[in-house]
Amino acid sequence: MSQAKKLYLETFGCQMNVSDSEKIVTLMKGMGYQQTQDPVEADLVLLNTCSIRATAEQRVYGHLGKFKSIKKAKPGLIIGVGGCVAQQEGEKLLKKAPFVNLVFGTHNLHLLQGMVAAAEAGKRSSQTDFLDDEKRFDLFPHSEAEGGVTRFVTVMQGCDNFCAYCIVPHVRGREISRSAAKVLEEVRVLAEAGVTEVNLLGQNVNSYASKQPGEPDFPELLRLVAQVDGIERIRFTTSHPKDMSQRLIECFADLPKLAPHIHLPAQSGSDRVLERMNRGYTASQYLAKVAALKEACPTIQFTGDMIVGFPGEDEAAFLETMALMEEVQYADLFSFIYSARPGTKAAEYADDATRAEKQERLERLQAAQKKTTLARNRSFEGTVQKVLVEGLSSSGESLFGRTGGNRGTIFAGDPALAGRVLDVKIVEGLQTLLKGEIVHD
Ligand code: 5AD
Ligand code: SF4
C-alpha cells in the first residue's frame, strides 16, 4: 500500500500569505501531498515567508536552520521557500542555503507543482519573475472550498503606492486585480459550501480595477458581492486612506451586509512624517475621512497601523500621532518600530532616533491604546451585538464569534450554531474580548 506523501507548511506574515498558503495546500494535494503538523514526518517542507520588517525576515532564517538539521537525518526531504523573502532573494537563496531545493516568488504559485516535481527528480530551481497584466489570471489560482464560517477572497494583489518604508511594492509587484466575474464565482462557490462571511483581500482594495477599464470598481464590486445569497457579512482589507472615496464610504450606509468595521492605517499623525513616508494625505485629510465614515455609519469601529521612529520623527511629531489616535479612538491598533528595508526610499534616510527612544515611544503609544481599547470594549456593556459564531473558543469552554465591529466575543451556546449571526448581549468588556450571552426571544 502506498503511503501519502506529507507536506509541512509554515506561513509567516500577513493575510495575503495565509490566503496563498491555502492555495499551496490545494496545489500540493493535487500532487498527492497530505498536510502534517509534524515537520519530522514531512517529505516536503514549504515556508511561505514575510519580509515586512527585519524581525520577520530573521525568523525565516532561524526556521530554515531548524529544517536544515531535520534534513541531515532525512536527506530526501525537499525544502522550498516561497513568499516575500523568496521573491527578494531568488537564486541567491539557493546559493546561500544549499539544502534548499526550490525558491518560488509571489507571482509563481502556478509553477509550484512543476517545481516540486523537478525537485522530486533531483533538480533545484528558482522562479521569481513577475507576471505582466496579460498573464494576470495565473496569479489567482483557485483554493479548495472547504467551507468554514469566514473566508478570505483575494481581489487584487501588489501595490503601486511606494510608501517610503514599505517593501511590499518591491516583493509583490504592481497592482493587479482579479476579474469581478472570477471573484463572484469564488464567492458563490464559498456560499454554497456554507460560508457566511467573506473578507475581500488585497494590499490596497480601494484601488481595485483602477487599471482595468470595463471592470466594476471596488464600491460596485461590494454591491455585487452583497447580492450573493448565503453571504451574510462582508469585510475588506486593507484600505489606503487616500483612496477611500465618498462612494466607498456610502457603502457603509447602504449595504446592510457590509460589517461596520474598517482597517484604515494612518501610519503617523504628523504631516511632515506623512509626507516623508509618501502617504499622499495629511492628518486632517485622514481625520476628515474618519469623520465621514462615522457619519455614514455611526457604529463603525476603526482599527489601524502606526509606525514609530520613522526617520525624522521627533518628539513633537510623535505627540501628533498620539493626538490623532485620541481623536479616532481606535478599537485596536497594530504598532511597529520602523525597520529599514533595503531597496526602499526610506532606507536612504538618516535613521536618527536611538533604539531606546523608539522603544520608549512604542511603549507610550501602546499604553495609551490599551486604555482606549479597554474603554471601548467596556462601552459595549449592555448593548446587543450581531455576532457571527465562528465555533468553539480557544479554551473549548464557550463559543467564539465576532461582532460586526470585529470585536472577538465569547458566550455560552451550542457549537452547532457555528455560521449563524446571533443577537448577543454584551455583559462584560475585557481588554482583549467581550463576554456576552445569547438573546433568546
Ligand atoms: N517598518 C515598520 N513597520 C512597517 N510596516 C510596513 N513596513 C514597515 C517597516 N519598514 C507596517 C505598516 C503596515 C504594516 C503591515 O506593517 O504599518 O501598514
Ligand atoms: Fe506598503 Fe504603502 Fe502599499 Fe500599504 S499602501 S502595501 S504600506 S506601499
Side-chain angles (χ1 to χ4, degrees), residues 297-324:
C297 178
T299 59
I300 198 161
Q301 301 297 310
F302 291 87
T303 55
D305 297 339
M306 215 60 95
I307 295 176
V308 300
F310 186 76
E313 182 192 81
D314 55 12
E315 175 67 14
F318 172 69
L319 290 177
E320 287 174 316
T321 296
M322 297 279 272
L324 181 134

Side-chain angles (χ1 to χ4, degrees), residues 254-308:
D254 307 341
L255 289 178
K257 288 184 180 179
L258 187 58
H261 164 236
I262 183 141
H263 186 70
L264 196 65
Q267 312 295 0
S268 168
S270 149
D271 290 348
R272 199 170 43 78
V273 172
L274 286 168
E275 191 174 348
R276 274 168 76 85
M277 285 179 165
N278 190 31
R279 288 292 286 174
Y281 54 85
T282 61
S284 59
Q285 284 166 338
Y286 177 88
L287 290 170
K289 305 262 167 142
V290 168
L293 282 156
K294 285 181 180 169
E295 198 183 315
C297 178
T299 59
I300 198 161
Q301 301 297 310
F302 291 87
T303 55
D305 297 339
M306 215 60 95
I307 295 176
V308 300

Side-chain angles (χ1 to χ4, degrees), residues 397-414:
E397 284 161 15
S398 49
L399 295 185
F400 177 85
R402 287 181 180 277
T403 66
N406 210 24
R407 309 311 298 149
T409 307
I410 55 168
F411 46 98
D414 182 344

Side-chain angles (χ1 to χ4, degrees), residues 12-146:
F12 301 82
C14 67
Q15 282 142 349
M16 188 64 86
N17 272 10
V18 173
S19 165
D20 283 349
S21 282
E22 286 184 4
K23 293 168 192 149
I24 291 174
V25 170
T26 305
L27 289 165
M28 292 302 99
K29 255 193 198 157
M31 296 183 72
Y33 283 95
Q34 292 294 330
Q35 215 177 342
T36 170
Q37 303 308 321
D38 178 6
V40 175
E41 65 168 29
D43 303 290
L44 170 65
V45 166
L46 294 176
L47 302 189
N48 193 4
T49 63
C50 171
S51 61
I52 194 94
R53 283 170 289 276
T55 40
E57 199 172 315
Q58 282 149 13
R59 275 179 61 209
V60 171
Y61 284 104
H63 280 240
L64 265 178
K66 181 173 90 187
F67 296 114
K68 183 182 175 185
S69 358
I70 295 178
K71 191 162 175 164
K72 270 205 182 120
K74 190 174 181 181
L77 177 65
I78 298 172
I79 300 181
V81 185
C84 296
V85 175
Q87 184 63 44
Q88 233 168 246
E89 299 287 301
E91 293 269 342
K92 273 189 282 174
L93 198 62
L94 287 184
K95 291 207 182 83
K96 267 198 225 166
F99 54 94
V100 168
N101 302 71
L102 55 115
V103 176
F104 57 104
T106 56
H107 282 209
N108 306 102
L109 284 189
H110 63 299
L111 303 176
L112 186 60
Q113 288 186 326
M115 295 175 77
V116 170
E120 287 173 339
K123 250 186 80 187
R124 301 171 80 212
S125 60
S126 159
Q127 295 280 359
T128 52
D129 285 350
F130 281 145
L131 296 179
D132 53 27
D133 229 36
E134 287 78 69
K135 296 250 190 72
R136 68 193 174 103
F137 297 112
D138 283 342
L139 253 188
F140 305 106
H142 136 107
S143 65
E144 226 167 69
E146 281 171 356

Side-chain angles (χ1 to χ4, degrees), residues 52-53 165-166 265 267 305-307 336-341:
I52 194 94
R53 283 170 289 276
Y165 50 81
C166 187
Q267 312 295 0
D305 297 339
M306 215 60 95
I307 295 176
F336 312 98
I337 289 180
Y338 167 71
S339 157
R341 302 285 59 217

Side-chain angles (χ1 to χ4, degrees), residues 52 158-169 175 203-204 238-240 265 267 277-279 307:
I52 194 94
C159 184
D160 290 354
N161 287 314
F162 288 92
C163 298
Y165 50 81
C166 187
I167 196 72
V168 167
E175 279 178 16
Q203 264 85 25
N204 180 15
T238 289
S239 295
H240 194 303
Q267 312 295 0
M277 285 179 165
N278 190 31
R279 288 292 286 174
I307 295 176

